[in-house]
Every structure is written in C-alpha cells, then in structure tokens.
Amino acid sequence: MSPVPARPPCPRTRSAVDVVCEVKYNGVCSHSNCWRSLGSPWINSHCKCNPVYLQTSHFVQFLYQALPTDVHVIILDMPGHGKTSRDMKADYTFVGQAKNIHHFVQAYGLDKSPFHILGISMGGGVAGVYAALYPQDLVKVSLFCPAAILSPTVSKYGQEMVKDETVPLPVTAQEIKNTQPYIVYNGREMPNWVYRIIAELRRPHNEFYRHVLQEMNKEDSKTALQARLCDIKTPTQVVWGEFDWLLDISSLDIIKEKLKSLDRIDVLDRCGHSIAMERPYKSAKVIMEFVNS
C-alpha cells in the first residue's frame, strides 16, 4: 500500500490545517484520511491522538493547544468523521476502526518508530483495541474514559436510557440540550437557538451516527476493549473525569483487575466526560508526566 500524495511536512506551531489524502491498496483508492499534524516530527516523543466520541479532530483543539510545542502530535479524524471518508458498508465496530487506523499508520510510515497513542471515549476504546492488536507500533498508551467496557455501575445516562426507552442518539434541539449535563460537568447554560443550530448541523449525519452506534453496540463489539485488556502489553495510562455521567467511572475497577500493563490512573476533579474540553491543561499535564516517566 502507498499514500497518494506523499506525506506533507509537519508545521512547528500549534496551528495547522486539515490534510486529506487518499490511501491506495494495490493501486486502487480505498479511502481517504484527514488529519492534523503539529510540532516537529524529529523528536523522540510521538503522541498520536485518536479522538473522540462521534466527533472530529477539532473537538480536541483545547487539549493539543495545551501540549508543549516540541511534541509531535497527529490528530486523526476517526473513520467516517470529519473529513475522513465515509462508507456505510465499512466496519465501524471497535476492531474495525482499529484496523482502519492501522492502515493509515502503515500507509504514512508512522510505524517506522513506536509512537504514543491517545484516544478519548469512543477513540479510547479504539486506541485500547489498537494497543492489543498492534503492540509493535506503540511505546505508550493513554486511554481517556474509554468506551467498550461494561461498567459494574450503570451510568446516569444509561439509567435514563433504560427508563425512557430512548435511542442513545440526541437528534432534536431539546434532546441535545437534555444530553449536555451528562457530557459536561461545568457546562454553561446556552440559549435554545444554539441547540437548534447544533441539531441542524448534525441532521445530515444522523443516519451515519446511528449506524456507528449500532455497529459499536453489537454483542461482540460493545465489550471489545474489556475482552482485550489482558492483551495490552504496552505501558498504559487511564484518565477519567470524576463526574463522568456518560461512561461510568466504575469501569476503572475492571481496568485495574484485567490490565496488567496499567502504569497510572488519573481521576480529574471538577470534570465530566468531556475531559479534553473541560480540563485541557490538567489533561496535558498528566499526559506529559506519563510521557516523561
């Protein structure tokens, strides 16, 4: 496989533009990936970020702006999200997404030296599965409130889903507004017109979002990370928000029991599920402590 065109040079500042390039297999275009690259590519500490739950790379801009400028960061739009190509027939289970990202890593030569992979929420589940499947690529792993673990305690959001028998995908402005307290702990009250705009922006993508949720919730996918924790051999950091009401923090009990390569756990206070947005500088601090340990 080979990338088309060649991998572009990385800027040395915290600002970067999206890069979209095709990946070819045996001379045939398979898909395109979108990523951002920041910092120098020639230093030893590589941090590759796989964001985030049904979002694009722009969602973690608060975090990467808080990281030191001498750290090379590659922020990849998850398969089907942002400007990365979307195929409704593709495999969007956690294993399928991990394999898709591995294609990207191979195509652009990122596997020539071990790197540090970081994922948040859905991206955390994918990053953990990646670590289990491709340990030779990695030097360290950071999992922020990772999905694909069946928590011993049902989250507050999960309890509401069972009670209301609703599909876990907010569509209307009111549904999006009702979901925010489960995602952001210290969120500001926003006017209703903001939620109407968000709902309208999401509307063309709702079918795809629903498809991804169905793929991730397949019986063999919804605990994909949990089933592979014992296969992760790379030193791993786990970060969780103290008040995460979307993915319950009790998942840490399973991680402590099964993940033998667990190096450190960081529970961030005054923080919910949106760790990168609510506590970007604290997140950057614990990441760099782990990188330099």
Side-chain angles (χ1 to χ4, degrees):
M1 72 188 81
S2 61
V4 178
R7 184 182 176 197
C10 301
R12 295 178 179 271
T13 66
R14 289 292 95 182
S15 61
V17 297
D18 293 341
V19 178
V20 183
C21 286
E22 296 176 348
V23 176
K24 286 191 174 183
Y25 298 91
N26 298 323
V28 179
C29 178
S30 173
H31 61 274
S32 62
N33 284 107
C34 176
W35 77 94
R36 289 182 163 198
S37 183
L38 305 100
S40 170
W42 306 117
I43 61 174
N44 292 327
S45 296
H46 292 269
C47 176
K48 177 180 177 299
C49 298
N50 283 332
V52 289
Y53 179 65
L54 297 183
Q55 293 287 346
T56 70
S57 60
H58 301 286
F59 189 75
V60 293
Q61 61 180 320
F62 302 101
L63 174 57
Y64 72 68
Q65 292 288 348
L67 289 169
T69 57
D70 62 346
V71 175
H72 181 208
V73 184
I74 295 177
I75 307 168
L76 178 67
D77 280 350
M78 295 294 285
H81 295 85
K83 296 178 183 178
T84 292
S85 61
R86 179 177 299 177
D87 181 359
M88 294 295 284
K89 296 181 180 179
D91 183 356
Y92 290 102
T93 63
F94 287 95
V95 172
Q97 293 194 62
K99 290 180 177 178
N100 183 294
I101 290 170
H102 186 58
H103 293 160
F104 169 80
V105 167
Q106 288 182 310
Y108 292 96
L110 300 181
D111 55 344
K112 292 180 179 178
S113 61
F115 56 86
H116 179 173
I117 192 169
L118 185 154
I120 304 173
S121 192
M122 178 185 77
V126 174
V129 171
Y130 189 102
L133 296 178
Y134 310 107
Q136 70 280 0
D137 290 351
L138 306 177
V139 64
K140 289 189 177 181
V141 180
S142 291
L143 306 178
F144 279 49
C145 51
I149 296 175
L150 189 61
S151 60
T153 302
V154 179
S155 69
K156 290 188 177 182
Y157 185 61
Q159 294 172 18
E160 289 298 316
M161 283 167 44
V162 172
K163 183 170 63 177
D164 296 339
E165 297 183 350
T166 56
V167 178
L169 178 68
V171 174
T172 67
Q174 188 60 49
E175 288 172 345
I176 294 172
K177 182 178 181 178
N178 293 343
T179 302
Q180 292 310 295
Y182 299 101
I183 299 175
V184 181
Y185 176 65
N186 283 317
R188 296 180 179 179
E189 184 67 27
M190 295 187 295
N192 289 331
W193 62 265
V194 173
Y195 295 106
R196 289 196 293 269
I197 291 175
I198 295 173
E200 188 62 24
L201 291 173
R202 288 173 57 94
R203 185 171 57 82
H205 309 287
N206 283 333
E207 181 183 357
F208 170 72
Y209 292 163
R210 188 174 286 107
H211 174 66
V212 173
L213 283 171
Q214 290 171 348
E215 287 279 287
M216 292 191 302
N217 283 315
K218 287 181 177 178
E219 194 61 34
D220 59 345
S221 182
K222 61 185 178 183
T223 56
L225 175 56
Q226 182 172 334
R228 292 169 175 80
L229 285 172
C230 59
D231 297 328
I232 299 176
K233 308 303 181 184
T234 310
T236 302
Q237 170 190 40
V238 179
V239 183
W240 224 287
E242 181 183 7
F243 299 100
D244 190 334
W245 294 340
L246 188 68
L247 297 178
D248 195 80
I249 196 171
S250 63
S251 293
L252 286 176
D253 295 336
I254 294 176
I255 292 173
K256 292 175 184 177
E257 176 186 354
K258 296 182 177 295
L259 182 56
K260 304 307 180 184
S261 61
L262 181 62
D263 189 275
R264 64 179 285 167
I265 294 175
D266 295 283
V267 177
L268 307 191
D269 61 348
R270 297 179 287 112
C271 184
H273 185 70
S274 298
I275 299 175
M277 183 174 66
E278 292 190 80
R279 302 295 305 275
Y281 289 95
K282 180 64 175 179
S283 298
K285 181 176 183 293
V286 298
I287 290 171
M288 294 312 301
E289 287 176 353
F290 179 53
V291 167
N292 296 322
S293 64

